[in-house]
Amino acid sequence: MQNPQVLAALQERLDNTSHTPSSYIETLPKAVKRRIDALKQLQVQCAHIEAKFYEEVHDLERKYAALYEPLFDKRREFITGEAEPTDAESEWHSENEEEEKLAGDLKNKVVIEEREAAATEEANPKGIPDFWYTIFRNVDMLSELVQEYDEPILKHLQDIKVKFSEPGQPMSFSLEFHFGPNDYFTNSVLTKTYKMKSEPDKTDPFSFEGPEIVDCEGCSIDWKKGKNVTVKTIKKKQKHKGRGTVRTITKQVPNDSFFNFFNPIKVSGDGESLDEDSEFTLATDFEIGHFFRERIVPRAVLYFTGEAIEDDDNFEEGEEGEEEELEGEEEGEEEEDTESEPKKDASQPAECKQQ
């Protein structure tokens, strides 16, 4: 490679080749390609080390889940009314405290009216009514799954917990939906388990970006008679081919419901690929499970009040606003370049292209 003639020949080949990464690699000498292959071997080893890193992260998640558990248990007690927070536990200084203080006088003026109204209503409902149902209603990703006939069932939802797989077991996590006694099913807990993989694919190790959900399992719901909202009964007329008589039959067909969440599509284990609709449904299911684990369960009160949703919306709007501003700047620069092009001013700044 120190020979000037070899370098010149290589440069000529590069100049005559379209400059794409793959085409450039093809022009390199075998000795260089051999070194690149060695770098890829190192990259695969890095991917396997990264997989071990995520396994240890999963262990840490399990460890800290045990520390969160007493706090989440107390949260459940406050929500269901099993316990009442002390004055110290319920003390909270909001950002709008000054405004609330200024509005205190106005509130005092209507205190008598409020007391009269309270006399006709339940003065102190138990716990926080419809806590989890309100979260479902507030979060678009969840509200899209909930049908009107699901709502009275979700009002019996008392808690959602995340459980991580035990040490030495394949990586997974489970969602537990705890329900109070209701008129719809006898289960006190409905579960959904998501199986995960944290290892590079043998056929495509460079695609590894951390653990991914690869499959999920639901549970059987023991519906009470006539209360299964995941099916509906339809009537269908049938005509006898020979006699021409008509009879009416009834049959059950699947019905849209959030509770289909506990009867997910199974990933084929025999290597057969799913159709496009099934793949989309499964990917959406994985996304919802991840959202429950990472956002809903840890920050439930903020999704109940809507504060977490407002934060997400503000962040998205900020990104869009920045993008629009950049586009506007680009358009302005293009106009300026067009007007000044005939002058060929050497001091004119080069056009800035957004990557």
Side-chain angles (χ1 to χ4, degrees):
M1 290 299 291
Q2 301 300 323
N3 190 323
Q5 293 180 342
V6 174
L7 292 174
L10 178 58
Q11 185 62 49
E12 182 179 357
R13 291 170 65 186
L14 290 174
D15 292 340
N16 295 331
T17 305
S18 58
H19 291 282
T20 62
S22 58
S23 62
Y24 168 68
I25 298 301
E26 290 301 320
T27 64
L28 296 175
K30 289 184 178 180
V32 177
K33 291 180 181 178
R34 181 173 175 273
R35 295 171 194 131
I36 293 173
D37 289 341
L39 294 184
K40 289 183 177 181
Q41 288 282 4
L42 294 176
Q43 191 63 44
V44 171
Q45 294 178 44
C46 288
H48 283 281
I49 292 174
E50 186 179 5
K52 293 295 183 183
F53 164 77
Y54 284 114
E55 288 178 5
E56 293 195 19
V57 169
H58 189 73
D59 292 337
L60 279 175
E61 286 182 311
R62 184 191 308 108
K63 172 185 174 181
Y64 279 87
L67 300 179
Y68 289 130
E69 188 169 4
L71 301 178
F72 291 159
D73 286 344
K74 182 168 285 190
R75 178 178 71 182
R76 185 200 69 245
E77 293 174 354
F78 292 162
I79 290 171
T80 59
E82 296 174 31
E84 190 69 25
T86 64
D87 291 342
E89 289 173 327
S90 58
E91 184 177 355
W92 181 257
H93 300 288
S94 67
E95 295 179 357
N96 300 325
E97 189 171 5
E98 292 296 329
E99 295 179 7
E100 293 173 358
K101 188 175 181 181
L102 293 173
D105 292 339
L106 294 176
K107 292 181 180 179
N108 289 333
K109 292 180 180 179
V110 296
V111 67
I112 296 177
E113 296 179 4
E114 290 179 348
R115 287 176 179 173
E116 291 176 352
T120 61
E121 299 176 0
E122 186 178 0
N124 187 12
K126 186 178 180 182
I128 304 176
D130 302 339
F131 180 85
W132 292 100
Y133 164 67
T134 302
I135 293 174
F136 273 73
R137 190 176 58 188
N138 288 346
V139 178
D140 290 342
M141 184 186 297
L142 303 181
S143 64
E144 292 173 356
L145 303 176
V146 177
Q147 308 300 319
E148 185 176 353
Y149 37 82
D150 292 328
E151 294 176 1
I153 310 177
L154 290 173
K155 291 184 178 184
H156 292 281
L157 182 58
Q158 297 180 336
D159 198 11
I160 304 177
K161 295 183 177 182
V162 179
K163 299 290 186 180
F164 294 93
S165 54
E166 294 297 324
Q169 298 295 319
M171 186 181 293
S172 67
F173 69 92
S174 298
L175 301 174
E176 296 182 353
F177 295 74
H178 293 250
F179 286 85
N182 60 80
D183 296 331
Y184 297 89
F185 47 74
T186 59
N187 311 65
S188 59
V189 181
L190 301 180
T191 60
K192 181 77 169 282
T193 300
Y194 288 90
K195 300 177 181 180
M196 306 177 70
K197 183 182 76 171
S198 181
E199 60 181 87
D201 191 316
K202 293 181 180 179
T203 60
D204 186 17
F206 303 134
S207 65
F208 180 73
E209 294 183 348
E212 60 178 335
I213 298 174
V214 294
D215 198 3
C216 58
E217 291 182 356
C219 67
S220 296
I221 302 179
D222 300 322
W223 295 100
K224 295 181 179 180
K225 186 176 180 180
K227 297 294 186 177
N228 188 349
V229 295
T230 65
V231 296
K232 59 183 177 182
T233 302
I234 62 172
K235 293 182 179 181
K236 188 176 181 180
K237 291 184 178 181
Q238 287 185 339
K239 185 176 182 180
H240 194 280
K241 293 181 179 180
R243 296 191 298 270
T245 56
V246 177
R247 67 174 182 175
T248 300
I249 63 170
T250 60
K251 60 184 297 187
Q252 287 190 331
V253 297
N255 195 30
D256 290 337
S257 168
F258 164 74
F259 291 91
N260 290 320
F261 180 73
F262 300 97
N263 184 28
I265 295 174
K266 290 294 297 178
V267 175
S268 176
D270 54 11
E272 294 183 5
S273 59
L274 300 172
D275 59 58
E276 187 174 343
D277 289 342
S278 296
E279 285 185 353
F280 177 80
T281 301
L282 199 60
T284 302
D285 189 310
F286 291 173
E287 184 180 1
I288 292 170
H290 183 76
F291 196 77
F292 269 117
R293 165 187 162 172
E294 295 293 328
R295 306 296 293 275
I296 297 295
V297 173
R299 309 177 70 202
V301 65
L302 301 181
Y303 282 96
F304 175 79
T305 63
E307 292 168 84
I309 299 169
E310 291 172 3
D311 288 345
D312 292 342
D313 291 343
N314 290 337
F315 180 75
E316 291 173 0
E317 289 173 4
E319 284 184 335
E320 293 173 358
E322 182 179 352
E323 182 178 347
E324 291 173 0
E325 183 178 348
L326 288 172
E327 290 175 353
E329 289 174 2
E330 288 177 353
E331 292 174 0
E333 288 172 359
E334 289 175 0
E335 292 176 1
E336 181 179 345
D337 291 345
T338 302
E339 293 174 359
S340 58
E341 185 177 357
K343 298 179 182 180
K344 300 294 182 182
D345 186 353
S347 64
Q348 179 180 340
E351 180 182 358
C352 177
K353 295 184 179 179
Q354 185 178 2
Q355 297 297 321

